[in-house]
Amino acid sequence: DSGVTQTPKHLITATGQRVTLRCSPRSGDLSVYWYQQSLDQGLQFLIQYYNGEERAKGNILERFSAQQFPDLHSELNLSSLELGDSALYFCASSVSGIYGEAFFGQGTRLTVV
Amino acid sequence: DQQVKQNSPSLSVQEGRISILNCDYTNSMFDYFLWYKKYPAEGPTFLISISSIKDKNEDGRFTVFLNKSAKHLSLHIVPSQPGDSAVYFCAAGGNQFYFGTGTSLTVIP
């Protein structure tokens, strides 16, 4: 158990809909990362937050947004969903967000039908 | 454009032999490198890391080698065990990390 909790584990939704994925980081970790893993793809970095502030942005679509709340949990919002958004979405957390290893949650499998 | 590449999607090794997993990166500014292991239905777990000031880091059966001039790193597992069978991702960066597509290692008993 990495200490990072992601909910829900599975999500099936229709095209055009909006969903919210939730992540609770390990206790004491200030940095949260979101990654997308599509079929046969590596982990694509989406966005990083540190102590409530956006720190780095990767290949995140404009239809996607995220935030980190004062209690340090984070949400990833995906809107106007398309079939190609079907993927595993991982959240990870780390103490500082600079170097060092990150601890991953088990992921949320999103299926868009 | 993939900044971190793992060109071998899969690798099979006999138990007890050495497993060598390779990773190439394109950005010479990357200064921290990590390897993660992933089992099915689980998130990746951290395995070993190396900073750019070193060329080797060892932790038990796992050794990571970094060749900065070639922008190449490798993970050596000696001896390989069946429990090492998993997908291995390398990651490179510093403030932001880029992952490779993974290499699926199968250790044959």
Side-chain angles (χ1 to χ4, degrees):
Chain A
D1 183 7
S2 67
V4 178
T5 304
Q6 287 188 249
T7 56
K9 284 192 169 50
H10 301 277
L11 197 49
I12 301 175
T13 189
T15 54
Q17 295 298 305
R18 172 190 167 97
V19 297
T20 298
L21 313 184
R22 183 188 167 101
C23 171
S24 294
R26 286 190 327 155
S27 177
D29 284 357
L30 298 179
S31 197
V32 169
Y33 313 77
W34 287 97
Y35 290 88
Q36 178 193 57
Q37 184 181 20
S38 303
L39 194 64
D40 294 333
Q41 297 288 315
L43 291 157
Q44 299 290 325
F45 170 71
L46 295 178
I47 197 163
Q48 178 197 359
Y49 279 83
Y50 178 78
N51 204 19
E53 300 288 328
E54 182 183 305
R55 170 167 278 182
K57 212 171 211 180
N59 298 321
I60 187 165
L61 300 172
E62 285 191 12
R63 299 183 285 110
F64 296 180
S65 65
Q67 54 183 336
Q68 186 179 28
F69 295 86
D71 67 353
L72 301 177
H73 91 271
S74 178
E75 292 180 357
L76 178 68
N77 300 297
L78 315 176
S79 61
S80 302
L81 285 167
E82 302 174 359
L83 295 177
D85 297 327
S86 297
L88 259 176
Y89 290 85
F90 286 103
C91 166
S93 72
S94 66
V95 172
S96 69
I98 301 175
Y99 306 108
E101 66 269 26
F103 294 83
F104 282 78
Q106 290 193 311
T108 294
R109 180 169 292 284
L110 173 67
T111 303
V112 182
V113 296
Chain B
D1 186 29
Q2 197 76 17
Q3 298 206 43
V4 177
K5 294 180 183 177
Q6 293 176 257
N7 291 319
S8 297
S10 62
L11 176 68
S12 290
V13 171
Q14 289 286 339
E15 181 178 3
R17 306 294 290 268
I18 184 171
S19 295
I20 300 176
L21 296 96
N22 294 303
C23 178
D24 296 295
Y25 61 96
T26 58
N27 191 332
S28 58
M29 298 299 290
F30 290 161
D31 58 359
Y32 199 76
F33 307 87
L34 310 96
W35 284 93
Y36 286 84
K37 181 164 83 170
K38 184 181 181 303
Y39 292 116
E42 294 183 12
T45 55
F46 170 74
L47 194 56
I48 192 169
S49 63
I50 188 168
S51 75
S52 59
I53 61 171
K54 292 185 171 184
D55 54 19
K56 176 183 173 182
N57 188 26
E58 194 171 348
D59 183 3
R61 297 185 297 112
F62 302 91
T63 303
V64 56
F65 294 91
L66 176 62
N67 182 333
K68 289 185 288 293
S69 61
K71 298 195 194 71
H72 177 84
L73 66 155
S74 61
L75 175 68
H76 292 208
I77 306 173
V78 184
S80 302
Q81 299 174 354
D84 296 330
S85 297
V87 178
Y88 290 78
F89 290 97
C90 67
N95 207 22
Q96 174 181 332
F97 285 94
Y98 297 87
F99 281 76
T101 49
T103 296
S104 178
L105 173 67
T106 302
V107 180
I108 304 163

